[in-house]
Amino acid sequence: GNARSLLEDARTGKNPFEGFKPEPPKTIDLSKDEKLLYKHELQAVDKLDQLAIAMVAGGLGERLGYEGIKIQIPFELCKLTTYLELYCKTILAYQQEFEAATGKFTEIPFLIMVSEDTNELTREALKSNKHYGLNPSQVQILKQELVPAIQDNEARLALDSPYNLQLKPHGHGDIHLLLYQS
């Protein structure tokens, strides 16, 4: 029902934001004031023990010509550092900054949203790389649910076979629900 309604709105050009007026958020440009930037950095470092890092990692790299999970694609070619490694090393650096600034130790939670396609490969990548230095207990894998796929603008369900629904991950927005539930 909801898929049909959304598809019909898209077909007819109905704007779900009709009546709303977009306004840019109030921001501070820290790039032009080093003293202000430093002040904000100091305030942020003291609060790193209240931070959690989330990564959406439900996709495969097949459209990019990569045979594996996207988070294992190297983001730079000199050291072949992967996105997963970059996140883990960044978390370790934040933890060191917090300890240097406060004298206290913290483990920043790292939450990774996976799909059916990436669950085992993500776990394997973490395990085989010793969680890139993170404590395994600070890494939480959140698996998104699969939902029936639709095949067309009439919202007909996609089938793998006459009696088997084609299931797909819900999408990146699932991270919010999974964070709330965990």
Side-chain angles (χ1 to χ4, degrees), residues 104-123:
K104 297 183 276 183
F105 176 76
T106 190
E107 284 187 343
I108 297 170
F110 183 28
L111 309 142
I112 307 172
M113 183 179 79
V114 298
S115 67
E116 185 66 38
D117 291 334
T118 63
N119 182 31
E120 288 305 315
L121 294 171
T122 300
R123 292 175 188 278

Side-chain angles (χ1 to χ4, degrees), residues 16-115:
F17 301 107
E18 188 69 42
F20 290 93
K21 181 182 174 206
E23 294 180 25
K26 292 183 174 142
T27 60
I28 301 171
D29 184 356
L30 298 174
S31 66
K32 294 177 176 58
D33 187 339
E34 283 189 37
K35 287 181 183 177
L36 188 59
L37 172 63
Y38 184 68
K39 176 185 168 199
H40 283 281
E41 280 183 347
L42 287 177
Q43 289 173 341
V45 168
D46 290 346
K47 295 183 180 4
L48 286 173
D49 61 340
Q50 299 171 36
L51 178 69
I53 304 284
M55 175 186 239
V56 283
L60 297 171
E62 54 201 5
R63 285 180 300 175
L64 304 170
Y66 184 75
E67 293 187 21
I69 54 178
K70 281 193 248 180
I71 61 173
Q72 283 298 91
I73 295 175
F75 80 94
E76 56 82 26
L77 297 176
C78 291
K79 294 183 181 178
L80 298 177
T81 304
T82 66
Y83 285 98
L84 181 58
E85 181 179 1
L86 174 66
Y87 270 67
C88 293
K89 298 293 185 192
T90 300
I91 291 168
L92 288 169
Y94 285 169
Q95 290 175 181
Q96 289 172 351
E97 286 291 320
F98 179 78
E99 189 168 2
T102 66
K104 297 183 276 183
F105 176 76
T106 190
E107 284 187 343
I108 297 170
F110 183 28
L111 309 142
I112 307 172
M113 183 179 79
V114 298
S115 67

Side-chain angles (χ1 to χ4, degrees), residues 99-155:
E99 189 168 2
T102 66
K104 297 183 276 183
F105 176 76
T106 190
E107 284 187 343
I108 297 170
F110 183 28
L111 309 142
I112 307 172
M113 183 179 79
V114 298
S115 67
E116 185 66 38
D117 291 334
T118 63
N119 182 31
E120 288 305 315
L121 294 171
T122 300
R123 292 175 188 278
E124 181 183 310
L126 286 163
K127 186 177 179 182
S128 66
N129 290 288
K130 298 180 182 162
H131 289 75
Y132 296 100
L134 294 179
N135 182 343
S137 67
Q138 79 187 93
V139 180
Q140 187 175 0
I141 305 290
L142 308 171
K143 189 171 159 191
Q144 66 185 141
E145 296 293 322
L146 297 175
V147 295
I150 56 173
Q151 70 178 3
D152 56 29
N153 286 341
E154 303 302 318

